[in-house]
Amino acid sequence: MLVTAYLAFVVLLVSCLGLELSRCQAKPPGRACSNPSFLRFQLDFYQVYFLALAADWLQAPYLYKLYQHYHFLEGQIAILYVCGLASTVLFGLVASSLVDWLGRKKSCVLFSLTYSLCCLTKLSWDYFVLLMGRALGGLSTALLFSAFEAWYIHEHMERHDFPAEWIPATFARAAFWNHVLAVVAGVAAEAVACWMGLGPVAPFVAAIPLLALAGALALHNWGENCDRQRAFSRTCAGGLRCLLSDRRVLLLGTIQALFESVIFIFVFLWTPVLDPHGAPLGIVFSSFMAASLLGSSLYRIATSKRYHLQPMHLLSLAVLIVVFSLFMLTFSTSPGQESPVESFIAFLLIELACGLYFPSMSFLRRKVIPETEQAGVLNWFRVPLHLLACLGLLVLHDSDHKTGTRNMFSICSAVMVMALLAVVGLFTVVRHNAELRVPSPTGEPYAPEL
């Protein structure tokens, strides 16, 4: 398993580098890339945002292993994960309104403080303290995925008056480097935990200086902005009306809830499946992130002028890949007949599918959901997503250890079949909708959205 993990990591990394280098050579420079003021503004944003992302990714490979190291049972660990997901649901619903009211800069600094406290709780063996840490982690995650983006968009449009067309370029680049940071973070976590022999708590301690630096840079370099005009109740009510009045939005929400709840359960299960067979967890995690990056690169190639596939097609392919991978896992995790290499390959396929899924879903959401209702609709999307993930982990909590993992993958397979049916339903509804297609290279000028 050790050799397989390192070999897969190298192969995936070389494949990603080859695809990205060929894409960079073929990509013409844009006007935004040559604007010095815009580049300075981007750098101010990136240096804070990337530090926050790096600290977040650094903790991912060894979270389950740390709880195991503290001698908690799988059921107890499942409850810790459920607490984190429930906290994300609770704070995710109000995060956008909280950030707008408190101020985006203050919210980013608050993120660095709460996430640092979350990391410090990992030094304790006390179960209640770890539960509090998971709750703080849910708040921090909600702030990470709302405050930073809101601050950037306001500064871009209102303070600097840059063209709105440049915003996607910033976040497309951020998405690419987010994958790169995740790959590097996995290797760094492996280095401090295993190569240096500091144990599974080391990556959490190493994340604290990154969070402190991110907060200090935001406090020193960023200006404050806020928007206290939007009411939380009005945002949620508008989102619910949009969700119930448009079948396309309802189907998209169904697909997101089913697909991403399975991914949350996968995040919990991959460590207990591979760790008993001597897998280097940090390298395995980096391999997962490299597979996801490869999927994102394949998405860009597939929607290019040369191949001109549609996001709807790639969304269908992503769901099919996950269905196939979960069926593989129901056999490779059979008690007494475990095959860790097959399980690892199935996990890599799931991450590859995620690389196809997220840009496809992002494209379709932007086209289907009105911009004014996006925040409210996404809040409603997250509720069933996290509730399904919590329910799955609670079912696992009550299962026998030897059969629970295999049964959970079987349940996830059934859930993904339902997601596939929802994709077919969405495909039927939008098949004649030209608005949801990437523009044809023979028609208007081609400008793929990432």
Side-chain angles (χ1 to χ4, degrees), residues 424-448:
V424 172
L426 180 63
F427 195 86
T428 303
V429 172
V430 305
R431 66 182 183 276
H432 299 306
N433 193 335
E435 181 188 0
L436 300 184
R437 300 176 64 85
V438 173
S440 171
T442 57
E444 59 187 76
Y446 180 74

Side-chain angles (χ1 to χ4, degrees), residues 19-34:
L19 288 176
E20 289 300 325
L21 287 174
S22 62
R23 186 178 70 88
C24 290
Q25 291 172 355
K27 183 179 178 181
R31 187 163 60 95
C33 298
S34 60

Side-chain angles (χ1 to χ4, degrees), residues 116-270:
S116 295
L117 288 173
C118 173
C119 292
L120 285 172
T121 62
K122 301 299 188 294
L123 295 170
S124 173
W125 291 59
D126 187 270
Y127 193 72
F128 179 76
V129 173
L130 293 172
L131 282 172
M132 292 299 99
R134 291 297 290 167
L136 285 171
L139 170 60
S140 304
T141 300
L143 291 172
L144 176 61
F145 293 110
S146 57
F148 289 88
E149 183 176 339
W151 180 89
Y152 176 84
I153 292 174
H154 185 279
E155 294 290 306
H156 182 107
M157 299 292 295
E158 303 297 332
R159 191 183 300 271
H160 295 280
D161 197 27
F162 291 129
E165 295 78 17
W166 292 1
I167 292 176
T170 295
F171 288 110
R173 189 171 298 161
F176 168 76
W177 286 106
N178 184 31
H179 277 102
V180 174
L181 286 169
V183 172
V184 174
V187 177
E190 185 71 15
V192 296
C194 288
W195 300 347
M196 297 180 185
L198 299 178
V201 75
F204 300 91
V205 176
I208 295 175
L210 300 180
L211 292 166
L213 183 57
L217 287 174
L219 193 63
H220 183 264
N221 296 339
W222 286 11
E224 184 60 278
N225 63 66
C226 58
D227 179 9
R228 300 183 182 180
Q229 303 300 314
R230 292 192 301 172
F232 172 69
S233 58
R234 190 165 63 245
T235 299
C236 287
L240 184 60
R241 279 196 302 272
C242 179
L243 183 64
L244 296 177
S245 62
D246 191 332
R247 190 182 175 194
R248 300 175 306 169
V249 178
L250 186 60
L251 285 168
L252 268 183
T254 302
I255 296 165
Q256 178 172 333
L258 296 173
F259 186 99
E260 296 183 27
S261 62
V262 169
I263 298 305
F264 273 112
I265 294 170
F266 151 70
V267 167
F268 175 83
L269 288 175
W270 73 265

Side-chain angles (χ1 to χ4, degrees), residues 84-95:
L85 289 173
S87 174
T88 302
V89 172
L90 176 63
F91 291 116
L93 286 172
V94 299

Side-chain angles (χ1 to χ4, degrees), residues 9 12-13 16 57 61 176-189 282-283 285-294:
F9 175 60
L12 287 166
L13 201 58
C16 291
W57 286 123
F176 168 76
W177 286 106
N178 184 31
H179 277 102
V180 174
L181 286 169
V183 172
V184 174
V187 177
I283 300 302
F285 179 80
S286 292
S287 299
F288 290 164
M289 295 300 101
S292 181
L293 177 57
L294 182 62

